[in-house]
Amino acid sequence: MGRIPIGPIIEGGKKAGKIIKENRKEITAVLGLLGAGGKVIKENTAKKKESNKTEGKLHHRKGRYDHYKIKILMELDSQNRNELFQYILEVEQFIQQIKNEENKELGVKKPIHKKRIKNWNDILIQIKDKMYTKDYLEFIKIYNNPSYHSEYFKGFEGLVEKFKKLNNREKYDDLLNYIAEITNRSIEQIKKDFSLTD
């Protein structure tokens, strides 16, 4: 590779340094304005988003997505099964809507739709995982104390009744399969946590 002459670079650097030194006040004033301008732009963008929300210009699904990210996902621990199930149905509906829009529109928007579907799927996974975990813990409580009344399963008492019915049988295969189906856990894990043996 050939040698690059460094002299012109040094000369250019010296000239730039001299200009900066001579115009320091003006340059710092301009930099200050640029910083303030960036702050103003950021504030205006935030205000515009907020006004769009209040004026109803923000798409409903986008508003719900923000609500899920900011509020609902943070409160999943305090929700009962009915509320979690409603969230799952709503998120699945949003994913289906996006897929329908994707099928109707041009291929140019495909990456945008894919990203939206991925974002909603991320939320769906978190809600489903929380429901599986809470279902599993409640089943363990009911198994260990048959008189335990679960507020979590309010509205889904049929799941508890079937669990209790299967729990009264001699063989535990049906009970294991039922718990695995509802909670998305492996049979081995269920046997271990419920202390079930063949």
Side-chain angles (χ1 to χ4, degrees):
M1 184 165 201
R3 296 177 72 186
I4 301 172
I6 198 163
I9 297 173
I10 292 173
E11 279 302 311
K14 286 180 182 177
K15 287 179 184 177
K18 185 178 176 185
I19 292 170
I20 291 172
K21 197 174 187 180
E22 291 172 356
N23 301 302
R24 183 181 335 195
K25 288 182 182 178
E26 291 85 0
I27 291 173
T28 53
V30 168
L31 290 176
L33 286 174
L34 289 175
K39 186 177 178 183
V40 168
I41 290 171
K42 190 174 181 180
E43 288 173 359
N44 284 340
T45 305
K47 285 179 186 175
K48 185 174 180 183
K49 273 187 177 179
E50 194 60 40
S51 70
N52 282 346
K53 281 183 186 177
T54 57
E55 293 174 17
K57 291 181 184 177
L58 188 65
H59 192 280
H60 172 71
R61 203 169 46 226
K62 175 64 175 152
R64 289 299 289 161
Y65 178 78
D66 292 343
H67 184 67
Y68 271 90
K69 292 292 279 185
I70 294 167
K71 188 168 178 8
I72 293 175
L73 290 181
M74 303 304 157
E75 298 174 350
L76 289 180
D77 284 331
S78 63
Q79 307 298 314
N80 64 29
R81 192 174 207 279
N82 186 46
E83 292 163 326
L84 294 174
F85 193 69
Q86 287 176 359
Y87 296 150
I88 289 170
L89 292 177
E90 183 178 35
V91 171
E92 287 175 341
Q93 178 187 14
F94 289 150
I95 291 170
Q96 189 57 49
Q97 286 174 359
I98 296 168
K99 287 179 180 178
N100 291 343
E101 289 171 12
E102 183 180 33
N103 290 336
K104 290 178 185 175
E105 294 177 358
L106 299 173
V108 177
K109 288 192 170 184
K110 210 168 192 77
I112 295 169
H113 292 307
K114 291 287 183 209
K115 184 174 187 248
R116 288 177 184 154
I117 290 170
K118 182 198 173 302
N119 290 342
W120 279 110
N121 271 325
D122 292 345
I123 288 175
L124 183 63
I125 288 168
Q126 291 180 58
I127 297 169
K128 281 185 173 183
D129 284 347
K130 181 55 70 176
M131 188 171 80
Y132 294 149
T133 301
K134 291 184 85 166
D135 286 356
Y136 193 66
L137 289 172
E138 289 296 308
F139 281 142
I140 289 174
K141 289 177 187 177
I142 295 166
Y143 179 77
N144 289 319
N145 181 5
S147 62
Y148 171 74
H149 176 71
S150 175
E151 285 297 319
Y152 168 76
F153 278 116
K154 189 171 185 166
F156 287 87
E157 289 85 1
L159 294 174
V160 176
E161 293 305 316
K162 186 170 182 180
F163 175 84
K164 287 180 177 179
K165 184 178 172 185
L166 293 172
N167 190 27
N168 288 331
R169 295 191 181 165
E170 290 295 318
K171 288 198 166 198
Y172 288 109
D173 291 341
D174 292 338
L175 178 65
L176 291 170
N177 290 328
Y178 180 70
I179 297 169
E181 178 187 330
I182 299 290
T183 65
N184 210 25
R185 294 282 194 282
S186 70
I187 300 287
E188 293 76 27
Q189 182 68 43
I190 297 167
K191 282 183 180 179
K192 180 181 155 199
D193 293 338
F194 282 76
S195 302
L196 296 174
T197 55
D198 290 335

